């Protein structure tokens, strides 16, 4: 029903994805993931301003705690930047900002469009944006790299559908702190695949991020008392 809104969301999403790849090219997985998690912090004022969502004190505290955890994880890399680190950091910051805008766009689209429709048009538009980079020097890839790219596309598509379903069913501000749990997976992948573990301050950041997610867990409803 809203082709222009789908187009705008697809372009912003494609920009965010490109910046994410650029950040991963220059930073460890955990640090790139940490920068991307600045998005939940940026999305809060946008959700209140454009979607009229009410921010609870618990949600604000959770996001601030998660933000502090992100800074703790990034501290070592920023204190002693290596070659290409600043490129990765700037790309990560751009990714976080674009992600925040994209999430607001998705929430607005869910009022008239189904999550499957949003995911489909994002896939089509981002594929066209990717095709437009052909003149800038594509490289031939072997079967192994093609299989990896197919796996990235499949997992990314499933993740996008899951995220769209979540945004359609819950306030953006409530979902924001849950994003920080991705840091746990990033640390695991860094350790298993690249033999890289966080510094001591990084573990403090992981603990803060985990606690931030726990703060916004829904409380079980109290059962009404029945008369004896």
């Amino acid at each position: 029903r809203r082709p222009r809104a789908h187009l705008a969301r697809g372009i912003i999403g494609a920009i965010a994805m490109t910046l994410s790849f650029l950040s991963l090219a220059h930073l460890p997985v955990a640090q790139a993931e940490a920068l991307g998690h600045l998005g939940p912090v940026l999305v809060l004022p946008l959700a209140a301003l454009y979607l009229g969502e009410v921010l609870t004190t618990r949600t604000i505290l959770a996001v601030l705690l998660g933000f502090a955890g992100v800074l703790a994880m990034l501290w070592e890399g920023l204190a002693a930047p290596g070659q290409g680190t600043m490129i990765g950091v700037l790309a990560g910051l751009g990714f976080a900002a674009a992600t925040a805008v994209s999430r607001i766009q998705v929430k607005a689209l869910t009022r008239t469009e189904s999550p499957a429709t949003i995911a489909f048009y994002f896939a089509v538009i981002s594929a066209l944006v990717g095709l437009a980079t052909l003149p800038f020097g594509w490289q031939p890839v072997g079967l192994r790299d093609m299989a990896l790219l197919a796996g990235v596309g499949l997992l990314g598509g499933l993740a996008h559908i899951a995220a769209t379903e979540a945004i359609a069913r819950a306030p953006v501000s409530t979902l924001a702190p849950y994003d920080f749990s991705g840091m746990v997976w990033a640390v695991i992948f860094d350790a298993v695949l690249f033999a890289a573990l966080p510094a001591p301050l990084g573990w403090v950041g992981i603990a803060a991020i985990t606690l931030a997610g726990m703060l916004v867990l829904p409380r079980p409803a109290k059962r009404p008392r029945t008369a004896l």
Side-chain angles (χ1 to χ4, degrees):
R1 300 179 184 178
R2 301 165 61 189
R4 291 183 181 178
H6 281 290
L7 179 61
R9 181 268 183 280
I11 292 174
I12 294 295
I15 291 173
M17 187 164 55
T18 303
L19 291 173
S20 173
F21 296 158
L22 183 60
S23 179
L24 281 168
H26 293 281
L27 295 175
V29 175
Q31 288 192 1
E33 183 75 6
L35 278 169
H37 282 76
L38 294 177
V41 180
L42 300 175
V43 83
L44 286 184
L46 294 177
L49 184 61
Y50 292 105
L51 301 177
E53 294 185 4
V54 178
L55 306 181
T56 65
T57 303
R58 179 182 289 266
T59 299
I60 294 174
L61 288 176
V63 173
L64 290 178
L65 182 60
F67 177 63
V70 169
L71 291 180
M73 293 201 67
L74 287 173
W75 185 260
E76 183 181 16
L78 294 178
Q83 185 176 5
T85 298
M86 290 311 299
I87 296 176
V89 170
L90 292 175
L93 291 173
F95 165 64
T99 299
V101 174
S102 178
R103 187 158 298 188
I104 297 300
Q105 291 175 313
V106 170
K107 185 63 176 180
L109 277 168
T110 57
R111 295 170 178 170
T112 59
E113 313 292 312
S114 70
T117 301
I118 297 171
F120 172 78
Y121 281 107
F122 170 69
V124 172
I125 294 169
S126 60
L128 292 175
V129 172
L131 183 61
T133 66
L134 180 59
F136 298 99
W138 283 19
Q139 298 296 323
V141 295
L143 291 178
R144 177 181 177 275
D145 289 337
M146 186 62 71
L148 289 173
L149 287 171
V152 168
L154 178 62
L155 291 175
L158 292 174
H160 183 264
I161 292 172
T164 306
E165 291 281 357
I167 292 173
R169 288 164 169 75
V172 172
S173 54
T174 300
L175 293 172
Y178 285 99
D179 290 341
F180 293 122
S181 64
M183 285 302 310
V184 178
W185 295 105
V187 170
I188 292 174
F189 292 144
D190 254 347
V192 174
L193 300 178
F194 307 109
L197 290 174
L201 192 58
W203 291 109
V204 175
I206 292 172
I209 290 167
T210 304
L211 181 58
M214 294 175 63
L215 279 176
V216 292
L217 287 175
R219 296 179 179 180
K222 293 182 179 180
R223 295 182 178 178
R225 293 183 180 180
T226 57
L228 296 177

